[in-house]
Amino acid sequence: MRYRSTRGQAPLVSADKALRAGVAPDGGLYLPETLPQFEPGDFAGDASLGALANRLLAPFFAGSPLAQPLEVICASAFDFPLPLVTPDKSEPGLQVLELFHGPTGAFKDFGARFLFRAFDAIASADDPITVLAATSGDTGGAVGCAAEGARHARAVILFPRGRISAFQERQLCCWREPVTALRVTGDFDACQRLVKAAFADRALSARHGLTSANSISIGRLLPQMAYWARASLDVFKATGIKPGLIVPTGNLGNAFAALLARACGLPIGPVVLATNANGTLADWHASGEYTARQSIATLANAMDVGAPSNFERLSGFGDELIEDVVRVEDEAIRARIAASHQQSGYIACPHTATALEAFARMTPETQAERPWIAAATAHPYKFADVVEPLIGLRLTPPPALAEVLERPVHVSDIAATLEALAAQLGAPAEN
């Protein structure tokens, strides 16, 4: 399998080179040159998520140094629960795929754990990797946890000052070597621009072996296909109907992984995107015109993205594959969290609440025409300051999140400039 740039001006590369580069030399994002095709029966014997992921991803890593260790990487990365629950028994047509049972309580654990195990398999002491990760919340925590103790890859995490929850910030800054947390003066888009600028500085990038763990990395997207495959296969087996997916999204990585899985033949029906008040995607879907803009702060802060990077992949892949984009403002997020708990006892984080609200806004006919799966992307405890007043309960952290509160934090403040980032990396930027 070879990978091409979305901009078409870079050479085709193997999977390991696409992972190491993060971004193509022409500034584009990598996509598989071709897509393997599966039938649901191809996964009949794959009981565990790791086994399913290995079968699904094997064609994507064929011919690369990652082909041989892939089975071990998948088994190790995907070793935590993936429950599909029915939050409200009066609405059996809606199930929630809980993606937050990994070590940092967010769906980003799937991609980050896979990616760092892959990096350790292809890097070496003489050829190390530095992972730059811009985060609006959960990516950095997952990257830091996955990187802790890595042999040949370090992580440098950039997050916006004052734009994430207190727990999220602590979780970004509590990891030991080889992890560095940088608090940037600016919003998420400023962090993302800083990462792209570092990649564009070829001397700086080569000196530190820079790559990405954001969803601009194809190595983050591919493993996220696995949980969409698992959930859709289970629902299709039980009902004979392809389920629709409702995906909370900001940078479009999780949504694009679902589209990739469907394009490979997994039994997935319509894909609906749920966004917060950042209206870039909703306005594009309504008008056909894409206009990037400054992000605005919302309760669902991991989705606070005004210029989603993966739109470049989406626009070249087939934007007609998205059924709808539902914009959910903060007031509706609060109301949905409260209503969900009152009606069924289910507790949703603000991001998950956007997906639940998107389902609630469907017509009864649309709700009834097929099973629907909404993604629960983060543990509600990570947003206790928002959730607890709305439901009138104190939340108890799961053990992995409770451990974060006991760890010391380490963070440096920097301006949103390439010079400041280069100084943290250990060498000046070149003009």
Side-chain angles (χ1 to χ4, degrees):
M1 174 71 75
R2 298 186 301 175
Y3 290 78
R4 62 176 177 86
S5 168
T6 50
R7 300 184 185 179
Q9 301 299 313
L12 296 170
V13 298
S14 59
D16 57 301
K17 288 183 170 57
L19 263 64
R20 286 201 69 139
V23 177
D26 61 358
L29 305 183
Y30 282 115
L31 280 172
E33 186 181 22
T34 60
L35 292 179
Q37 293 300 304
F38 296 97
E39 298 288 340
D42 294 336
F43 302 93
D46 299 321
S48 71
L49 181 62
L52 182 151
N54 179 56
R55 187 178 299 271
L56 175 65
L57 298 180
F60 291 95
F61 293 94
S64 84
L66 287 166
Q68 191 276 328
L70 182 64
E71 183 175 4
V72 173
I73 290 171
C74 290
S76 173
F78 306 135
D79 62 350
F80 48 88
L82 182 66
L84 187 61
V85 303
T86 303
D88 189 343
K89 303 304 181 186
S90 68
E91 290 186 342
L94 175 66
Q95 293 180 280
V96 172
L97 182 62
E98 293 188 339
L99 301 172
F100 54 70
H101 293 279
T104 71
F107 80 96
K108 308 293 180 69
D109 283 322
F110 291 91
R113 285 163 65 85
F114 179 94
L115 195 58
F116 269 90
R117 282 155 175 77
F119 284 153
D120 251 6
I122 60 177
S124 67
D126 296 327
D127 188 21
I129 288 173
T130 297
V131 175
L132 289 185
T135 182
S136 55
D138 293 324
T139 296
V143 166
C145 180
E148 192 175 67
R151 296 168 299 164
H152 307 308
R154 64 168 170 159
V156 179
I157 302 166
L158 296 82
F159 66 94
R161 173 192 288 273
R163 300 290 288 266
I164 63 176
S165 74
F167 182 86
Q168 282 179 312
E169 179 163 333
R170 186 175 188 89
Q171 192 176 44
L172 296 178
C173 304
C174 71
W175 308 109
R176 297 184 294 271
E177 293 290 335
V179 182
T180 300
L182 302 178
R183 187 165 46 205
V184 178
T185 302
D187 59 13
F188 170 73
D189 293 322
C191 297
Q192 190 160 249
R193 285 193 296 270
L194 197 51
V195 168
K196 291 179 178 178
F199 290 149
D201 186 323
R202 295 193 178 184
L204 184 70
S205 184
R207 187 177 302 120
H208 297 288
L210 297 185
T211 190
S212 174
N214 285 86
S215 59
I216 59 175
S217 168
I218 193 69
R220 264 278 310 280
L221 292 181
L222 294 177
Q224 288 176 217
M225 294 168 58
Y227 52 72
W228 293 123
R230 174 80 284 161
S232 65
L233 285 164
D234 289 349
V235 171
F236 183 72
K237 180 179 179 180
T239 66
I241 303 172
K242 296 179 180 179
L245 305 183
I246 309 173
V247 188
T249 193
N251 214 26
L252 272 175
N254 202 10
F256 192 75
L259 296 176
L260 273 181
R262 185 173 65 181
C264 289
L266 276 299
I268 294 172
V271 175
V272 172
L273 308 186
T275 73
N276 58 21
N278 286 275
T280 301
L281 294 174
D283 291 346
W284 155 76
H285 192 262
S287 69
E289 298 293 328
Y290 175 82
T291 304
R293 63 199 69 180
Q294 283 290 114
S295 64
I296 60 175
T298 76
L299 297 177
N301 56 41
M303 296 156 59
D304 289 350
V305 182
S309 289
N310 281 293
F311 188 82
E312 184 165 336
R313 283 191 172 109
L314 181 67
S315 59
F317 185 79
D319 51 18
E320 74 281 355
L321 298 178
I322 293 175
E323 181 76 10
D324 197 8
V325 181
V326 181
R327 185 189 311 185
V328 183
E329 308 278 350
D330 278 0
E331 183 178 352
I333 289 175
R334 291 189 182 94
R336 181 51 50 192
I337 292 172
S340 178
H341 182 257
Q342 183 178 21
Q343 293 165 8
S344 67
Y346 192 78
I347 302 174
C349 83
H351 311 80
T352 305
T354 66
L356 299 180
E357 177 65 15
F359 178 79
R361 293 183 188 180
M362 291 179 181
T363 66
E365 294 76 19
T366 300
Q367 290 179 348
E369 69 184 9
R370 67 180 63 251
W372 289 92
I373 300 172
T377 56
H379 195 285
Y381 179 80
K382 300 183 78 169
F383 303 89
D385 56 338
V386 173
V387 175
E388 287 178 348
L390 295 171
I391 65 173
L393 291 175
R394 290 292 299 273
L395 299 178
T396 301
L401 298 187
E403 182 190 355
V404 168
L405 300 174
E406 305 300 320
R407 285 173 165 251
V409 299
H410 312 277
V411 63
S412 298
D413 290 289
I414 69 166
T417 66
L418 184 57
E419 290 72 20
L421 175 57
Q424 292 290 334
L425 293 174
E430 295 187 7
N431 295 325

